Amino acid sequence: MIKKLEEISAQALRDLEAASTLEALEQVRISVLGKKGTLSDVLKTLGSVPAAERPAIGAAANEWKRKIEAAIETRKASLENAVLQAQLERDRVDISLPSRLPHRGSLHPITQTTRKIIEVFSRIGFDVVTGPEVETDFLNFEAVNIPADHPARDMQDTFFMGPGVVLRTHTSAVQMRTMRNQSWPLRILAPGAVYRNDSDATHSPMFHQVEGLWVDRDVKMSDLKGTLLFFAREMFGADAKIRLRPSYFPFVEPGAEVDVSCFLCRSKISDSCRVCKGTGWLEILGAGMVHPRLFEMAGYSEAVRSGALTGYAFGMGVDRIAMLLHGIPDLRLMFQSDVRFLKQF
Ligand code: DAH
């Protein structure tokens, strides 16, 4: 019987070693030590053994049982460890991988262009001022020498908010606001949104301008030209040129339209240039010497009479400059909030 116990136990130990999963190990345990297990079966026949031999067989059986149980524990621990290792390997986090960058938006091309314009002029002493978008008819028109019958006041162009109140049609209104609130000398830049009842690929009912104004003694047309040339070079490249074409704006005399040489074809006139369309020049702003009527409206008459108080003014369309710089074909793209468009800037 001892021999039988030995055989069963040796087989059990071999089976334990061969069990490759926790489930298989449990099966082996049941098949040997379970109620109907091989070891238990042998012990059930103990009654047929002579009484004198029983203690020795019982002791041997207990010894084998203890050995098998110990072997099961050892095997179990090593299988559990293997399961844990496999799990750790599977759930492994590679901490050396670069992290996902947080999503950052970007500034709208119009904001970028406005900031660039402000940056250029602030380097030569211009201060930024702002005015309201809902403006009086008086400051938007009357005070900048646009008489009541001027076509700019036509229902087609101006959004009227109520009697005597309009959405400003240009930032020139800020010139008068500032002059009526502050004394000269003045060197200001007024960026902001303006409104006109107009809409197509190059016109939007809301667009953006930057107005400039310098009022002091002895400001000359050549100062205006020098300032604008400096601006053109900073904005469009060091070899940019400008030209002034005589033009009419009610708030300046003389007045001019200002062109900058095409920054794409560098004025090497060719029909195929998509920016200047072969003209070599891009119209970017209006400018001139402040009309004496504006000084009168501002309450500067005394200074004008007693000395040589003069000034220049200019106004430019930011949206148009941004379109030229980035080759944007349709102004409406700017205001549709399409991320695919905005992402490019
Ligand atoms: N206010 C004009 C416009 O909206 C632009 C302009 C032209 C402004 C000449 C000026 C200027 O200050 O001198 O079209």
Side-chain angles (χ1 to χ4, degrees), residues 169-170 172 175 196 209 211-212 249 251-252 256 286-288 313-316:
T169 60
H170 53 181
S172 301
Q175 286 189 29
R196 282 178 213 176
Q209 291 187 331
E211 190 86 9
F249 298 100
F251 23 88
V252 284
F314 57 84
M316 65 185 87

Side-chain angles (χ1 to χ4, degrees), residues 141 145-154 157 248-250:
F141 293 125
N145 201 27
I146 301 176
D149 55 359
H150 194 283
R153 292 198 185 196
D154 197 276
D157 282 318
Y248 173 73
F249 298 100

Side-chain angles (χ1 to χ4, degrees), residues 5 9 12-13 16 29 32-33 39 43 57-75:
L5 277 175
S9 301
L13 288 176
L16 286 180
R29 190 188 67 78
V32 182
L33 302 178
L39 200 67
L43 292 178
I57 294 174
N62 278 335
E63 181 61 12
W64 279 115
K65 195 177 167 193
R66 205 193 46 73
K67 271 193 190 156
I68 291 168
E69 276 168 353
I72 288 177
E73 281 316 306
T74 312
R75 184 71 187 138

